[in-house]
Amino acid sequence: MLLIALLGIFLLSFDIGNIRLSIVKTVLYFSLCVLGVTELLGLFTSLNLISLIVCWTLIDIFLILFLIKKKSFHAVFPLKERVKRILLDLNNWEKFLLGFSTFIVLGVLVQGLIYPTNNWDSMSYHMARIIHWIQNENLAHFRTPIYPQLSSAPFAEELTLNVNLLLGNDYLSNAIELFYLIATSIISSLIAKELGFKRFGQIFSVFILICIPEVILLSSSTHNEIMLSFFMVMGIYFLLKTLAQQTIINFILLGCCLGLAAATKHTAYIYIAPFLLIWMVYHGYIILFRKQKILWLHFLLVVVSFTVINSAHYSRNYQLTSNIFGSDEDIHNYYVNEEHSLKMMISNVTRNISYQFGFPKIAPVVFDITKGLHELMNEDIHNPKTTYDLYSIDPLATHENNGSNIYHAVLIILSMVWMFIFLKKHNPRLTVYWIAIVLAFLLFCFYLKWVPWAKLHAPFFIFYSIVLAHFIINTLKSKILFSIAIFGFVSYATLIMLFNWSRPYITLPPFTSEIKITDDRYQKYFSRFLKYHADFKKVDNIITSNNFKNIGLMYGRYGIEYQLFLNSYRNDVKPIHINAHRLAESIPVSGPVDCIVSSKYDHLIEYEGEIFYNVTKDNDGYIYLFLKK
């Protein structure tokens, strides 16, 4: 049903003169449909399978009728011939770059189908919150001690909910990020075109993007950085388009892109701010100095589009905490720098850059250099006011949370120097684009504490792939040097895909986890924390055999719960949190419980006048099941 909607939207948006733009607009419009359907059904507490089927059936019927009326089917008949001509026109390098990019995409697709989502964040809140929404049949905030289940931006999980609820399982959950990676690659090539790149440069920038190690790792997971990057890159594209074509639709689409980026992950505000600032400064310049008239309604449309998209989640957060982001001072200080100075900036810049060098033998050396610089500045490398956790560099960074991008990072540093030295010789638009990326990185370091999650850097590498393509094309003009550079991208990307720590094609501890392709699917959920598998398996078996429906949960601040509710897409087994985060304590427990799963060992639990006894005392220490006698 979702595929029919996608195809229908594509046919309505199709423009034979700009196939790439037709594709990315289709993804954007489809995303807006998903957001609208999910929020609307949630508003009326009707977020269930039957309602989803009805909504998507109506959308499909409307699209089909509209297509018949407009005779849009005929518009795609020349598409096959057009694509064939383009492919035949490619030179050998272009065919290789596209071919290898396709190889990586297909490899990641299979990887994401073989393995289920299995990172801690997904088990704790990305996927876990979806089960709560389905069982509650709405998106309203619920009682939970795992606060990101409430406050974090919801769109990625809303789309996953639609896919999984219609399918009845989570087999395609990992494919969603890959879907947006393909869309991100296409829109990046269009930005390269806007910045003056010829066909080879556009293809090369896509190749560099696809080969980013962190991108490869994230694309077979249920993290949301790739989806976030798509909406931001699409927003940048429309920032450029509104400078040339000040049409209403361009401004509305700009607002929608920015709105969906914010609805996907809150770090969007940081990443996109410098691009918006430069955009507004330019408009101020043409108003003041060129005396060009500006239709202020267009800018209002951007704000309105953005606000409408995020209003529901803002409202839910505000009702709970009187803050649209759902945070308070303690949560704010948990992530945001508590002091600002030149030394603090140098510290955060160097630590964020050095974290990209997570490679055996190299990581300790880079750590010592970074530590020495901090000692020279008399700055604590673990300063709690600018550090989320103790600073370190993982020497085996092949997990999607902290995947290092050492090859790209070295080339980026070299390109930074080159771009600065020859600043006046570059295309002015490309120079401004480069400056915006640098400012976004500096703002990131200025505002957020250092965190041990390199995944947050993925958007910068995606943005920078265009600049990096420009750098390599213009400096490595020797065929031998260029071939060596390509070999570096190809070999590193292949190794990262094969030895993905959580979802390896080739299991090789300590470079990967101990999980294997041949292991059963339930065990694969515990790829990164196999020691918990036995506890969960035992608890899950008892719950299933007793046909318990209302599962009470007594968890800590950031526990994993999703593995107990894998079948809740097609049954009414409901997670019910008994304890809660202090900001969610006002939300009542949603009903009586049949049993209690606790992450704390005890002999018994007294709850609501009843006694629940521990029936899994011999578990290994993560979760225990308590039943009424």
Side-chain angles (χ1 to χ4, degrees):
M1 298 175 75
L2 298 177
L3 288 173
I4 291 171
L6 261 174
L7 180 59
I9 295 170
F10 174 70
L11 292 173
L12 286 176
S13 309
F14 185 73
D15 177 6
I16 192 65
N18 201 334
I19 300 170
R20 285 179 287 174
L21 186 58
S22 300
I23 294 171
V24 292
K25 278 186 175 180
T26 297
V27 176
L28 178 62
Y29 296 148
F30 174 75
S31 301
L32 291 170
C33 286
V34 170
L35 180 80
V37 166
T38 313
E39 291 287 355
L40 184 64
L41 292 179
L43 182 64
F44 294 100
T45 313
S46 300
L47 193 54
N48 53 54
L49 177 60
I50 300 300
S51 297
L52 267 189
I53 290 174
V54 170
C55 279
W56 285 108
T57 299
L58 291 174
I59 290 172
D60 289 347
I61 291 172
F62 171 79
L63 287 170
I64 291 169
L65 292 175
F66 203 64
L67 286 168
I68 293 171
K69 184 178 180 180
K70 287 191 67 178
K71 298 182 179 179
S72 299
F73 296 103
H74 302 295
V76 296
F77 291 155
L79 178 60
K80 182 180 177 181
E81 244 351 273
R82 176 74 183 275
V83 172
K84 186 178 179 180
R85 282 201 309 271
I86 291 172
L87 292 176
L88 288 173
D89 194 42
L90 297 175
N91 63 40
N92 290 335
W93 266 121
E94 290 169 338
K95 289 176 182 177
F96 174 79
L97 296 175
L98 286 176
F100 183 77
S101 299
T102 304
F103 164 74
I104 291 293
V105 167
L106 292 176
V108 171
L109 173 63
V110 173
Q111 199 167 37
L113 294 175
I114 293 173
Y115 286 95
T117 174
N118 56 13
N119 61 73
W120 191 282
D121 284 355
S122 293
M123 303 300 100
S124 180
Y125 75 92
H126 286 305
M127 300 297 288
R129 73 196 305 203
I130 294 172
I131 301 300
H132 285 277
W133 290 342
I134 290 172
Q135 296 301 328
N136 296 337
E137 297 193 16
N138 60 50
L139 302 172
H141 286 343
F142 47 86
R143 185 179 180 88
T144 178
I146 305 166
Y147 196 62
Q149 290 181 351
L150 307 184
S151 60
S152 59
F155 177 69
E157 291 83 8
E158 290 180 7
L159 176 51
T160 307
L161 181 151
N162 277 262
V163 173
N164 291 5
L165 188 52
L166 289 171
L167 195 64
N169 55 55
D170 62 7
Y171 279 70
L172 291 180
S173 296
N174 290 335
I176 293 172
E177 278 289 274
L178 185 64
F179 172 75
Y180 279 92
L181 173 61
I182 295 169
T184 304
S185 302
I186 294 170
I187 190 61
S188 293
S189 72
L190 285 175
I191 288 182
K193 183 179 180 181
E194 289 290 320
L195 296 177
F197 283 49
K198 295 179 180 179
R199 188 180 66 192
F200 179 77
Q202 296 169 41
I203 293 173
F204 190 39
S205 65
V206 168
F207 167 80
I208 292 173
L209 190 161
I210 295 292
C211 289
I212 298 168
E214 185 62 52
V215 165
I216 294 171
L217 296 171
L218 287 169
S219 296
S220 61
S221 79
T222 48
H223 281 298
N224 52 20
E225 277 76 18
I226 305 297
M227 183 186 291
L228 166 67
S229 298
F230 167 74
F231 293 125
M232 292 193 296
V233 175
M234 190 90 175
I236 293 169
Y237 176 78
F238 280 109
L239 283 173
L240 292 170
K241 292 300 288 184
T242 54
L243 297 178
Q245 301 170 354
Q246 295 192 5
T247 60
I248 289 178
I249 188 63
N250 279 342
F251 281 87
I252 291 176
L253 292 178
L254 170 60
C256 290
C257 293
L258 300 181
L260 283 167
T264 303
K265 198 175 185 72
H266 288 154
T267 44
Y269 298 97
I270 297 171
Y271 298 131
I272 209 70
F275 292 92
L276 273 174
L277 178 62
I278 292 172
W279 182 72
M280 289 188 290
V281 167
Y282 177 78
H283 278 287
Y285 166 76
I286 62 176
I287 291 170
L288 293 174
F289 296 99
R290 293 189 181 178
K291 307 300 180 182
Q292 185 174 326
K293 290 185 178 180
I294 296 292
L295 294 176
W296 295 105
L297 174 63
H298 290 176
F299 295 93
L300 180 61
L301 289 173
V302 175
V303 175
V304 170
S305 302
F306 179 95
T307 305
V308 168
I309 286 171
N310 289 279
S311 58
H313 185 60
Y314 285 164
S315 176
R316 291 190 289 268
N317 282 339
Y318 190 82
Q319 288 174 20
L320 184 65
T321 65
S322 298
N323 183 297
I324 62 172
F325 300 112
S327 63
D328 62 5
E329 186 176 356
D330 288 342
I331 294 175
H332 182 269
N333 291 337
Y334 197 65
Y335 298 104
V336 177
N337 285 315
E338 298 175 66
E339 67 176 39
H340 297 91
S341 65
L342 178 60
K343 286 199 297 184
M344 159 259 158
M345 275 298 291
I346 295 173
S347 172
N348 272 6
V349 167
T350 54
R351 287 186 298 173
N352 278 306
I353 292 174
S354 64
Y355 204 58
Q356 296 299 329
F357 291 81
F359 200 82
K361 303 296 183 182
I362 297 176
V365 175
V366 174
F367 177 85
D368 289 340
I369 292 172
T370 309
K371 185 179 179 182
L373 176 62
H374 281 71
E375 289 172 352
L376 190 65
M377 296 190 301
N378 195 28
E379 176 75 4
D380 181 7
I381 198 169
H382 309 297
N383 183 354
K385 291 187 176 181
T386 62
T387 311
Y388 170 86
D389 200 359
L390 293 179
Y391 169 73
S392 63
I393 303 177
D394 186 350
L396 294 172
T398 56
H399 181 270
E400 63 263 26
N401 277 355
N402 63 348
S404 66
N405 305 279
I406 183 170
Y407 188 69
H408 282 70
V410 170
L411 290 173
I412 286 173
I413 291 169
L414 292 174
S415 74
M416 287 275 192
V417 176
W418 181 76
M419 287 290 293
F420 183 77
I421 292 174
F422 300 102
L423 194 63
K424 294 182 179 179
K425 293 186 178 181
H426 304 299
N427 180 326
R429 279 197 166 195
L430 179 67
T431 301
V432 172
Y433 177 76
W434 172 70
I435 291 171
I437 298 173
V438 174
L439 290 176
F441 177 71
L442 293 176
L443 180 60
F444 179 92
C445 296
F446 177 81
Y447 187 73
L448 293 178
K449 290 182 176 180
W450 179 86
V451 294
W453 307 315
K455 63 179 182 177
L456 297 180
H457 301 165
F460 297 119
F461 284 90
I462 289 172
F463 293 165
Y464 208 92
S465 59
I466 297 170
V467 182
L468 200 52
H470 173 71
F471 166 69
I472 293 173
I473 290 170
N474 285 276
T475 57
L476 302 183
K477 294 184 178 181
S478 162
K479 288 184 179 181
I480 296 175
L481 292 177
F482 186 79
S483 299
I484 291 172
I486 296 299
F487 176 76
F489 286 114
V490 168
S491 55
Y492 199 7
T494 304
L495 288 172
I496 289 295
M497 183 179 70
L498 293 177
F499 296 99
N500 181 320
W501 203 92
S502 302
R503 297 172 291 281
Y505 272 113
I506 302 173
T507 300
L508 187 66
F511 299 100
T512 70
S513 68
E514 296 176 6
I515 206 74
K516 301 180 182 68
I517 286 180
T518 53
D519 289 331
D520 69 80
R521 187 172 176 84
Y522 191 74
Q523 190 171 356
K524 289 174 182 174
Y525 284 97
F526 299 88
S527 169
R528 203 172 168 218
F529 28 89
L530 278 172
K531 60 183 178 180
Y532 301 138
H533 171 252
D535 281 13
F536 271 85
K537 186 70 174 175
K538 187 184 297 182
V539 170
D540 185 59
N541 286 340
I542 297 174
I543 290 173
T544 303
S545 62
N546 285 276
N547 199 30
F548 291 135
K549 298 296 183 182
N550 300 305
I551 316 302
L553 301 175
M554 296 187 72
Y555 268 43
R557 177 178 74 84
Y558 204 56
I560 54 175
E561 63 180 76
Y562 177 68
Q563 291 95 324
L564 296 175
F565 304 98
L566 300 176
N567 297 316
S568 292
Y569 299 107
R570 281 292 185 270
N571 64 34
D572 54 353
V573 176
K574 182 178 182 180
I576 300 174
H577 282 289
I578 295 171
N579 56 324
H581 187 276
R582 55 186 172 74
L583 293 179
E585 283 181 335
S586 61
I587 304 174
V589 179
S590 58
V593 299
D594 300 324
C595 61
I596 295 176
V597 177
S598 175
S599 57
K600 182 180 178 182
Y601 176 84
D602 215 329
H603 290 288
L604 57 87
I605 293 174
E606 293 186 37
Y607 176 68
E608 294 291 316
E610 296 182 295
I611 297 177
F612 294 77
Y613 294 91
N614 190 343
V615 297
T616 53
K617 291 181 181 179
D618 58 341
N619 271 10
D620 292 330
Y622 186 70
I623 62 167
Y624 302 92
L625 181 64
F626 295 77
L627 303 180
K628 302 173 190 176
K629 207 151 191 177

